[in-house]
Amino acid sequence: MTFIISKYLITAFIIVFVSEIAKRSDKLGALISSLPLVTILVMIWLFIENQSIEKIANQYKTGI
């Protein structure tokens, strides 16, 4: 249960962080938001949860 809550908090932090940067600089906010942060987070969460390599590779290929 703690792991799920920490995943939500980290993801929410990244969203708020990008939003705050976008308020100050449109170009920098657009650059950061265009990065594949969500895809990288999903691959990290799957790896930490000991999911199969095939499932992680499938998430990478489809872009979630």
Side-chain angles (χ1 to χ4, degrees), residues 17-30:
F17 178 72
V18 171
S19 298
E20 290 298 318
I21 290 177
K23 285 181 186 177
R24 292 175 175 78
S25 171
D26 293 339
K27 292 179 183 177
L28 185 59

Side-chain angles (χ1 to χ4, degrees), residues 6-26:
S6 65
K7 285 189 340 183
Y8 289 153
L9 289 175
I10 291 170
T11 304
F13 173 77
I14 290 173
I15 292 169
V16 170
F17 178 72
V18 171
S19 298
E20 290 298 318
I21 290 177
K23 285 181 186 177
R24 292 175 175 78
S25 171
D26 293 339

Side-chain angles (χ1 to χ4, degrees), residues 16 23 46 54 62:
V16 170
K23 285 181 186 177
L46 288 171
E54 291 82 21
T62 61

